[in-house]
């Protein structure tokens, strides 16, 4: 270490050059070197302490961010921006339903365990995305700007009407049911179904063949009032409805129950046991509820 570096370290730590206190050059050099080594060691300790403080601050900030995220989620609605800052994505946890008002004044009700993406501002298009779950849409009429809901590769085009889109990733089907007005539903194979009030189109996600049915469409939004109404529904649909309403995980043999179809009505104010007893009565299952919100269903199933 040269004299300039030595003097720089002395100055940085507020120490005068000790060379004036010694007559022997060898002693001066030896003691001076020891002092410099101690100063250097002290400097390294300080740098380590500063790094430790920075790491603790970062950990604290991450913990605070996680806590804020948990609070938002526990209150029933979690907002976060996607990579495109022009959009807002919303996730609704199990056991909750949420209402949104879109930029054009249209209203959307999201069912439990749904994820929905929409633009902060509509332009020449009014396109929104149901990434997972179920939504009831009441759309403000705008003849010049059609409204489009994209879900599972299916597009629902409307001018102004009310309808329900059901597109849970866990289900093998997706559907659109019309409560009022008229909608045009199309897929990536250019198959288009025009639906009127109390009509529903159902797509199997494997073969994509649309099937149009006559339904009581109001029943398809009954979940908005805490009522679950399923007509001739496959067992996977029934299981998912119970899981989302009661925040539980249900284990069963999908193959054994694949062909089971049931109609059921219940209200989310009923207990989980009451609903499972109802399923037991109509399907002949047996069930066991474990402590960690897990339900095991067994039975003969359906051929």
């Amino acid at each position: 270490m040269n004299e300039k570096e030595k003097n720089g370290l002395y100055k940085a730590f507020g120490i005068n050059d000790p060379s004036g206190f010694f007559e022997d050059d060898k002693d001066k050099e030896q003691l001076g070197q020891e002092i410099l080594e101690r100063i250097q060691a002290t400097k390294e300790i300080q740098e380590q302490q500063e790094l430790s403080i920075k790491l603790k601050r970062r950990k604290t900030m991450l913990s605070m961010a996680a806590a804020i995220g948990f609070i938002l989620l526990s209150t029933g609605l979690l907002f976060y921006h996607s990579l495109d800052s022009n959009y807002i994505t919303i996730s609704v946890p199990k056991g909750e339903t949420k209402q949104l008002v879109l930029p054009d004044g249209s209203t959307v009700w999201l069912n439990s365990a749904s994820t929905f993406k929409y633009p902060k501002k509509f332009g020449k298009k009014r396109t929104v995305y149901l990434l997972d779950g179920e939504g009831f849409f009441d759309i403000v009429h705008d003849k010049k700007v059609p409204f489009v809901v994209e879900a599972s590769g299916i597009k629902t085009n409307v001018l102004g009407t009310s309808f329900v889109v059901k597109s849970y990733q866990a289900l093998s089907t997706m559907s659109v049911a019309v409560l009022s007005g008229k909608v045009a539903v199309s897929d990536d194979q250019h198959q288009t179904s025009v639906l009127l009030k109390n009509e529903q189109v159902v797509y199997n996600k494997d073969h994509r063949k649309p099937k149009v049915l006559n339904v009581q469409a109001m029943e398809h939004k009954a979940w908005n009032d805490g009522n679950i109404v399923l007509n001739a529904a496959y067992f996977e649909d029934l299981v998912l409805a119970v899981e989302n309403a009661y925040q539980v995980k249900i284990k069963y043999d999908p193959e054994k129950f694949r062909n089971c179809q049931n109609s059921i009505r219940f209200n989310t104010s009923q207990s989980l046991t009451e609903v499972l007893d109802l399923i037991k009565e109509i399907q002949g299952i047996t069930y066991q509820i474990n402590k960690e919100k897990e339900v095991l269903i067994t039975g003969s199933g359906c051929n």
Side-chain angles (χ1 to χ4, degrees):
M1 180 178 293
N2 58 41
E3 290 298 322
K4 186 177 180 180
E5 292 175 332
K6 292 179 184 178
N7 293 332
L9 277 174
Y10 293 144
K11 185 176 180 180
F13 283 87
I15 298 174
N16 293 322
D17 186 343
S19 60
F21 293 95
F22 304 96
E23 296 180 356
D24 186 89
D25 290 338
K26 185 177 181 180
D27 289 342
K28 286 191 294 183
E29 179 64 28
Q30 182 178 353
L31 187 56
Q33 186 63 35
E34 290 179 1
I35 292 173
L36 288 174
E37 289 175 356
R38 293 183 183 182
I39 291 173
Q40 186 65 30
T42 303
K43 183 180 178 182
E44 291 175 356
I45 291 172
Q46 288 180 337
E47 289 174 348
Q48 291 177 356
Q49 290 175 338
E50 290 174 0
L51 179 60
S52 177
I53 291 171
K54 288 180 181 179
L55 290 174
K56 287 181 179 179
R57 287 176 179 172
R58 183 180 180 185
K59 185 177 180 180
T60 301
M61 293 298 291
L62 290 173
S63 298
M64 290 175 64
I68 291 171
F70 175 78
I71 291 170
L72 287 172
L73 184 60
S74 64
T75 57
L77 193 58
L78 177 62
F79 288 82
Y80 61 92
H81 294 291
S82 62
L83 293 177
D84 187 344
S85 60
N86 293 322
Y87 285 85
I88 294 174
T89 304
I90 296 174
S91 293
V92 181
K94 291 182 178 181
E96 299 284 344
T97 59
K98 292 298 174 183
Q99 178 183 355
L100 305 173
V101 178
L102 301 182
D104 65 342
S106 297
T107 306
V108 180
W109 286 264
L110 296 174
N111 202 352
S112 300
S114 295
T115 301
F116 180 69
K117 175 182 173 182
Y118 68 97
K120 293 180 180 178
K121 183 179 180 180
F122 288 127
K124 295 182 180 180
K125 294 182 178 180
R126 292 188 292 170
T127 303
V128 299
Y129 306 88
L130 184 62
L131 304 178
D132 190 16
E134 185 172 18
F136 167 57
F137 298 82
D138 192 359
I139 305 305
V140 171
H141 184 82
D142 188 339
K143 187 176 182 180
K144 295 181 179 179
V145 186
F147 191 98
V148 181
V149 180
E150 293 195 16
S152 298
I154 306 297
K155 294 183 179 181
T156 302
N157 296 265
V158 304
L159 296 177
T161 184
S162 59
F163 56 98
V164 175
V165 178
K166 186 172 184 177
S167 182
Y168 281 103
Q169 294 180 9
L171 298 180
S172 59
T173 62
M174 72 85 61
S175 63
V176 179
V178 180
L179 281 75
S180 65
K182 178 173 65 175
V183 308
V185 184
S186 59
D187 63 9
D188 50 12
Q189 298 179 14
H190 307 293
Q191 301 177 105
T192 300
S193 301
V194 177
L195 306 177
L196 301 176
K197 180 180 179 180
N198 288 330
E199 289 186 332
Q200 177 191 38
V201 62
V202 180
Y203 285 85
N204 184 291
K205 292 179 182 178
D206 290 333
H207 56 64
R208 291 288 189 178
K209 293 180 180 179
K211 183 178 181 180
V212 177
L213 306 170
N214 292 318
V215 296
Q216 292 297 318
M218 285 296 293
E219 293 181 347
H220 289 262
K221 66 172 287 287
W223 48 263
N224 193 36
D225 299 315
N227 296 305
I228 308 299
V229 181
L230 298 173
N231 291 312
Y234 283 101
F235 201 72
E236 63 170 12
D237 205 339
L238 173 55
V239 166
L240 186 64
V242 175
E243 286 184 330
N244 290 343
Y246 294 95
Q247 305 176 57
V248 296
K249 177 62 180 177
I250 297 178
K251 290 187 175 183
Y252 69 106
D253 186 342
E255 287 300 322
K256 185 178 290 187
F257 289 90
R258 179 180 295 277
N259 296 320
C260 297
Q261 285 184 277
N262 297 285
S263 295
I264 188 172
R265 295 169 180 249
F266 63 89
N267 188 280
T268 53
S269 64
Q270 294 175 253
S271 69
L272 174 61
T273 301
E274 288 177 313
V275 175
L276 291 174
D277 284 340
L278 183 58
I279 299 173
K280 180 179 180 179
E281 181 179 339
I282 63 177
Q283 182 58 56
I285 65 163
T286 57
Y287 68 86
Q288 178 181 342
I289 302 176
N290 298 327
K291 293 181 179 180
E292 298 180 354
K293 288 193 171 183
E294 182 178 277
V295 179
L296 176 62
I297 286 180
T298 55
S300 58
C302 306
N303 297 324

